[in-house]
Short mmCIF file of all heavy atoms in Angstrom, two decimals:
data_model
loop_
_atom_site.label_atom_id
_atom_site.label_comp_id
_atom_site.label_asym_id
_atom_site.label_seq_id
_atom_site.Cartn_x
_atom_site.Cartn_y
_atom_site.Cartn_z
N MET L 1 -9.75 -12.33 12.74
CA MET L 1 -8.29 -12.14 12.41
C MET L 1 -7.82 -10.80 12.88
O MET L 1 -6.62 -10.71 13.39
CB MET L 1 -8.22 -12.16 10.78
CG MET L 1 -6.98 -11.59 10.27
SD MET L 1 -5.66 -12.71 9.68
CE MET L 1 -6.49 -13.92 8.75
N ILE L 2 -8.69 -9.71 12.78
CA ILE L 2 -8.20 -8.46 13.27
C ILE L 2 -8.02 -8.49 14.70
O ILE L 2 -6.96 -7.89 15.26
CB ILE L 2 -9.27 -7.33 12.86
CG1 ILE L 2 -9.25 -7.24 11.32
CG2 ILE L 2 -8.93 -6.01 13.57
CD1 ILE L 2 -10.37 -6.35 10.76
N GLN L 3 -8.89 -9.11 15.41
CA GLN L 3 -8.76 -9.18 16.94
C GLN L 3 -7.44 -9.93 17.26
O GLN L 3 -6.73 -9.55 18.19
CB GLN L 3 -9.92 -9.90 17.53
CG GLN L 3 -9.87 -9.68 19.07
CD GLN L 3 -11.25 -9.86 19.68
OE1 GLN L 3 -12.26 -10.07 19.05
NE2 GLN L 3 -11.26 -9.82 21.03
N GLN L 4 -7.05 -10.96 16.45
CA GLN L 4 -5.83 -11.63 16.79
C GLN L 4 -4.56 -10.77 16.41
O GLN L 4 -3.48 -10.97 16.97
CB GLN L 4 -5.78 -12.94 15.91
CG GLN L 4 -6.71 -14.01 16.33
CD GLN L 4 -6.76 -15.19 15.37
OE1 GLN L 4 -5.98 -15.32 14.43
NE2 GLN L 4 -7.74 -16.07 15.67
N MET L 5 -4.82 -9.79 15.49
CA MET L 5 -3.70 -8.94 15.08
C MET L 5 -3.51 -7.75 16.03
O MET L 5 -2.47 -7.09 16.06
CB MET L 5 -4.01 -8.39 13.65
CG MET L 5 -3.78 -9.45 12.61
SD MET L 5 -4.36 -8.95 10.92
CE MET L 5 -4.19 -7.31 10.81
N LEU L 6 -4.50 -7.47 16.85
CA LEU L 6 -4.44 -6.30 17.80
C LEU L 6 -3.11 -6.32 18.67
O LEU L 6 -2.52 -5.26 18.80
CB LEU L 6 -5.65 -6.17 18.65
CG LEU L 6 -6.92 -5.70 17.93
CD1 LEU L 6 -8.13 -5.69 18.91
CD2 LEU L 6 -6.78 -4.35 17.30
N PRO L 7 -2.67 -7.43 19.19
CA PRO L 7 -1.51 -7.40 20.04
C PRO L 7 -0.23 -7.02 19.18
O PRO L 7 0.82 -6.68 19.78
CB PRO L 7 -1.38 -8.87 20.54
CG PRO L 7 -2.75 -9.41 20.60
CD PRO L 7 -3.38 -8.76 19.32
N MET L 8 -0.29 -7.10 17.85
CA MET L 8 0.82 -6.60 17.04
C MET L 8 0.60 -5.19 16.61
O MET L 8 1.58 -4.45 16.59
CB MET L 8 0.91 -7.56 15.75
CG MET L 8 2.10 -7.34 14.91
SD MET L 8 3.63 -7.74 15.77
CE MET L 8 4.78 -7.05 14.53
N ILE L 9 -0.61 -4.88 16.29
CA ILE L 9 -0.91 -3.49 15.76
C ILE L 9 -0.68 -2.47 16.86
O ILE L 9 -0.05 -1.38 16.61
CB ILE L 9 -2.35 -3.38 15.18
CG1 ILE L 9 -2.47 -4.35 13.97
CG2 ILE L 9 -2.74 -2.00 14.85
CD1 ILE L 9 -3.93 -4.48 13.48
N VAL L 10 -1.21 -2.66 18.01
CA VAL L 10 -1.25 -1.61 19.06
C VAL L 10 0.20 -1.22 19.40
O VAL L 10 0.60 -0.06 19.44
CB VAL L 10 -2.08 -1.98 20.29
CG1 VAL L 10 -1.80 -1.12 21.43
CG2 VAL L 10 -3.50 -2.06 19.89
N PRO L 11 1.15 -2.24 19.67
CA PRO L 11 2.54 -1.83 20.03
C PRO L 11 3.22 -1.08 18.85
O PRO L 11 4.03 -0.10 19.11
CB PRO L 11 3.28 -3.20 20.24
CG PRO L 11 2.22 -4.10 20.63
CD PRO L 11 0.92 -3.65 19.82
N VAL L 12 2.88 -1.41 17.66
CA VAL L 12 3.42 -0.66 16.43
C VAL L 12 3.01 0.77 16.42
O VAL L 12 3.73 1.66 16.30
CB VAL L 12 3.16 -1.45 15.15
CG1 VAL L 12 3.44 -0.52 13.94
CG2 VAL L 12 3.89 -2.74 15.01
N VAL L 13 1.71 0.98 16.67
CA VAL L 13 1.13 2.36 16.74
C VAL L 13 1.87 3.13 17.95
O VAL L 13 2.27 4.22 17.74
CB VAL L 13 -0.42 2.36 16.99
CG1 VAL L 13 -0.92 3.76 17.30
CG2 VAL L 13 -1.06 1.77 15.74
N LEU L 14 1.99 2.53 19.03
CA LEU L 14 2.60 3.14 20.19
C LEU L 14 4.14 3.38 19.91
O LEU L 14 4.70 4.40 20.35
CB LEU L 14 2.48 2.26 21.46
CG LEU L 14 1.06 2.11 21.97
CD1 LEU L 14 1.06 1.12 23.16
CD2 LEU L 14 0.38 3.35 22.26
N ASN L 15 4.82 2.52 19.16
CA ASN L 15 6.17 2.67 18.77
C ASN L 15 6.21 3.90 17.87
O ASN L 15 7.25 4.69 18.01
CB ASN L 15 6.64 1.46 18.00
CG ASN L 15 8.18 1.37 17.92
OD1 ASN L 15 8.84 2.21 18.45
ND2 ASN L 15 8.64 0.40 17.23
N PHE L 16 5.39 4.13 16.94
CA PHE L 16 5.39 5.33 16.12
C PHE L 16 5.33 6.53 17.09
O PHE L 16 6.01 7.54 16.83
CB PHE L 16 4.18 5.28 15.21
CG PHE L 16 4.51 5.60 13.88
CD1 PHE L 16 4.88 4.77 12.86
CD2 PHE L 16 4.46 7.03 13.44
CE1 PHE L 16 5.17 5.15 11.60
CE2 PHE L 16 4.66 7.39 12.18
CZ PHE L 16 5.08 6.41 11.22
N LEU L 17 4.39 6.51 18.04
CA LEU L 17 4.26 7.70 18.90
C LEU L 17 5.43 7.88 19.84
O LEU L 17 5.74 9.03 20.23
CB LEU L 17 2.98 7.40 19.80
CG LEU L 17 1.70 7.29 19.02
CD1 LEU L 17 0.52 7.04 19.97
CD2 LEU L 17 1.41 8.49 18.21
N GLN L 18 6.18 6.82 20.11
CA GLN L 18 7.36 6.88 20.99
C GLN L 18 8.42 7.69 20.31
O GLN L 18 9.32 8.24 21.05
CB GLN L 18 7.83 5.46 21.34
CG GLN L 18 8.98 5.44 22.29
CD GLN L 18 8.77 5.93 23.73
OE1 GLN L 18 7.55 6.07 24.06
NE2 GLN L 18 9.81 6.16 24.42
N SER L 19 8.46 7.80 19.00
CA SER L 19 9.57 8.42 18.29
C SER L 19 9.78 9.96 18.80
O SER L 19 10.93 10.46 18.70
CB SER L 19 9.37 8.38 16.82
OG SER L 19 8.22 9.20 16.43
N GLY L 20 8.79 10.58 19.27
CA GLY L 20 8.97 11.97 19.65
C GLY L 20 9.33 12.18 21.16
O GLY L 20 9.52 13.31 21.57
N ALA L 21 9.51 11.05 21.90
CA ALA L 21 9.94 11.23 23.26
C ALA L 21 11.36 11.75 23.35
O ALA L 21 12.20 11.41 22.66
CB ALA L 21 9.84 9.91 23.98
N SER L 22 11.56 12.59 24.37
CA SER L 22 12.83 13.23 24.64
C SER L 22 13.71 12.15 25.21
O SER L 22 13.40 11.32 25.97
CB SER L 22 12.69 14.34 25.58
OG SER L 22 13.96 14.80 26.01
N THR L 23 15.03 12.19 24.74
CA THR L 23 15.98 11.21 25.27
C THR L 23 16.37 11.59 26.75
O THR L 23 16.89 10.80 27.44
CB THR L 23 17.26 11.15 24.37
OG1 THR L 23 17.83 12.50 24.23
CG2 THR L 23 16.97 10.63 22.98
N ALA L 24 16.15 12.89 27.07
CA ALA L 24 16.57 13.33 28.37
C ALA L 24 15.33 13.28 29.38
O ALA L 24 15.39 13.84 30.49
CB ALA L 24 17.16 14.71 28.32
N GLY L 25 14.20 12.68 28.94
CA GLY L 25 13.00 12.74 29.79
C GLY L 25 12.23 14.06 29.40
O GLY L 25 12.76 14.93 28.90
N GLY L 26 11.05 14.06 29.75
CA GLY L 26 10.18 15.23 29.40
C GLY L 26 9.21 14.92 28.36
O GLY L 26 8.68 13.87 28.30
N GLY L 27 8.89 15.93 27.51
CA GLY L 27 7.78 15.90 26.57
C GLY L 27 8.01 14.97 25.47
O GLY L 27 9.04 14.40 25.19
N ASN L 28 6.96 14.83 24.62
CA ASN L 28 6.92 13.94 23.47
C ASN L 28 6.11 14.71 22.39
O ASN L 28 4.85 14.64 22.43
CB ASN L 28 6.36 12.58 23.84
CG ASN L 28 6.29 11.67 22.60
OD1 ASN L 28 6.18 12.08 21.51
ND2 ASN L 28 6.34 10.39 22.86
N SER L 29 6.73 15.36 21.47
CA SER L 29 6.01 16.18 20.47
C SER L 29 5.12 15.33 19.59
O SER L 29 4.06 15.78 19.20
CB SER L 29 7.08 16.95 19.66
OG SER L 29 7.90 16.01 18.95
N VAL L 30 5.57 14.14 19.22
CA VAL L 30 4.70 13.24 18.30
C VAL L 30 3.43 12.84 19.10
O VAL L 30 2.33 12.98 18.52
CB VAL L 30 5.53 12.08 17.82
CG1 VAL L 30 4.63 11.08 17.09
CG2 VAL L 30 6.64 12.49 16.93
N LEU L 31 3.62 12.43 20.30
CA LEU L 31 2.38 12.01 21.06
C LEU L 31 1.51 13.21 21.30
O LEU L 31 0.28 13.10 21.15
CB LEU L 31 2.87 11.43 22.47
CG LEU L 31 1.78 10.97 23.45
CD1 LEU L 31 1.00 9.88 22.76
CD2 LEU L 31 2.39 10.53 24.75
N SER L 32 2.02 14.29 21.62
CA SER L 32 1.24 15.61 21.78
C SER L 32 0.38 15.93 20.55
O SER L 32 -0.75 16.19 20.55
CB SER L 32 2.07 16.78 22.17
OG SER L 32 2.70 16.49 23.49
N THR L 33 1.03 15.82 19.31
CA THR L 33 0.37 16.13 18.13
C THR L 33 -0.72 15.08 17.91
O THR L 33 -1.89 15.53 17.52
CB THR L 33 1.34 16.14 16.93
OG1 THR L 33 2.31 17.13 17.15
CG2 THR L 33 0.63 16.32 15.61
N PHE L 34 -0.48 13.82 18.17
CA PHE L 34 -1.52 12.82 17.97
C PHE L 34 -2.63 13.04 18.86
O PHE L 34 -3.83 12.88 18.43
CB PHE L 34 -0.76 11.47 18.29
CG PHE L 34 -1.59 10.23 17.99
CD1 PHE L 34 -1.90 9.88 16.69
CD2 PHE L 34 -2.03 9.41 19.07
CE1 PHE L 34 -2.70 8.71 16.43
CE2 PHE L 34 -2.74 8.25 18.77
CZ PHE L 34 -3.11 7.96 17.46
N LEU L 35 -2.40 13.34 20.16
CA LEU L 35 -3.49 13.42 21.08
C LEU L 35 -4.35 14.79 20.95
O LEU L 35 -5.40 14.82 21.27
CB LEU L 35 -2.98 13.32 22.53
CG LEU L 35 -2.43 11.96 22.87
CD1 LEU L 35 -1.93 11.99 24.33
CD2 LEU L 35 -3.54 10.91 22.67
N ASP L 36 -3.58 15.83 20.52
CA ASP L 36 -4.23 17.11 20.47
C ASP L 36 -4.94 17.38 19.20
O ASP L 36 -5.47 18.46 18.91
CB ASP L 36 -3.17 18.28 20.67
CG ASP L 36 -2.65 18.30 22.08
OD1 ASP L 36 -3.42 17.71 22.99
OD2 ASP L 36 -1.59 18.86 22.32
N SER L 37 -5.19 16.30 18.45
CA SER L 37 -5.97 16.41 17.18
C SER L 37 -7.38 17.03 17.50
O SER L 37 -7.90 16.68 18.54
CB SER L 37 -6.12 15.09 16.57
OG SER L 37 -7.09 15.10 15.52
N ASP L 38 -7.77 17.84 16.61
CA ASP L 38 -9.04 18.49 16.81
C ASP L 38 -10.26 17.60 16.14
O ASP L 38 -11.38 18.06 16.06
CB ASP L 38 -9.19 19.86 16.23
CG ASP L 38 -8.83 19.94 14.79
OD1 ASP L 38 -8.64 18.87 14.13
OD2 ASP L 38 -8.69 21.07 14.22
N GLY L 39 -9.91 16.36 15.77
CA GLY L 39 -10.87 15.50 15.21
C GLY L 39 -11.24 15.76 13.73
O GLY L 39 -12.21 15.20 13.32
N ASP L 40 -10.43 16.59 13.07
CA ASP L 40 -10.75 16.87 11.63
C ASP L 40 -10.22 15.86 10.68
O ASP L 40 -10.40 16.05 9.49
CB ASP L 40 -10.19 18.26 11.28
CG ASP L 40 -8.79 18.44 11.33
OD1 ASP L 40 -8.00 17.40 11.64
OD2 ASP L 40 -8.22 19.48 11.01
N GLY L 41 -9.60 14.82 11.24
CA GLY L 41 -9.13 13.77 10.37
C GLY L 41 -7.67 14.00 9.78
O GLY L 41 -7.14 13.17 9.06
N ASP L 42 -7.02 15.10 10.18
CA ASP L 42 -5.71 15.43 9.68
C ASP L 42 -4.62 14.50 10.31
O ASP L 42 -3.62 14.29 9.68
CB ASP L 42 -5.35 16.84 9.90
CG ASP L 42 -6.12 17.77 9.10
OD1 ASP L 42 -6.71 17.35 8.04
OD2 ASP L 42 -6.07 19.01 9.31
N VAL L 43 -4.87 14.00 11.48
CA VAL L 43 -3.87 13.20 12.11
C VAL L 43 -4.36 11.72 11.90
O VAL L 43 -5.40 11.28 12.45
CB VAL L 43 -3.80 13.52 13.63
CG1 VAL L 43 -2.83 12.57 14.34
CG2 VAL L 43 -3.36 14.95 13.82
N ASP L 44 -3.59 11.01 11.13
CA ASP L 44 -3.99 9.60 10.79
C ASP L 44 -2.68 8.74 10.88
O ASP L 44 -1.77 9.10 10.09
CB ASP L 44 -4.65 9.57 9.48
CG ASP L 44 -5.18 8.21 9.16
OD1 ASP L 44 -4.33 7.23 9.24
OD2 ASP L 44 -6.31 8.02 8.82
N ILE L 45 -2.59 7.83 11.70
CA ILE L 45 -1.40 6.99 11.91
C ILE L 45 -1.02 6.29 10.57
O ILE L 45 0.12 6.16 10.15
CB ILE L 45 -1.55 6.06 12.97
CG1 ILE L 45 -0.18 5.58 13.49
CG2 ILE L 45 -2.43 4.83 12.69
CD1 ILE L 45 0.53 6.58 14.39
#
């Protein structure tokens, strides 16, 4: 069931990350925060 749900879950996670993209092109603060996590568990979708 989870594997069948992955095609829905992954785009939703990516959509959340897209919110920080600049409308003029350039950086994405939300994506940067998500990726630059130090692994301490503070960043959780």
Side-chain angles (χ1 to χ4, degrees):
M1 163 103 44
I2 294 171
Q3 192 159 357
Q4 290 172 8
M5 290 172 27
L6 288 177
M8 185 69 188
I9 295 171
V10 171
V12 167
V13 170
L14 296 176
N15 196 4
F16 223 92
L17 300 176
Q18 181 67 12
S19 66
S22 170
T23 55
N28 180 331
S29 59
V30 173
L31 180 60
S32 294
T33 298
F34 186 70
L35 293 178
D36 289 341
S37 169
D38 59 5
D40 66 359
D42 286 346
V43 177
D44 186 307
I45 201 79

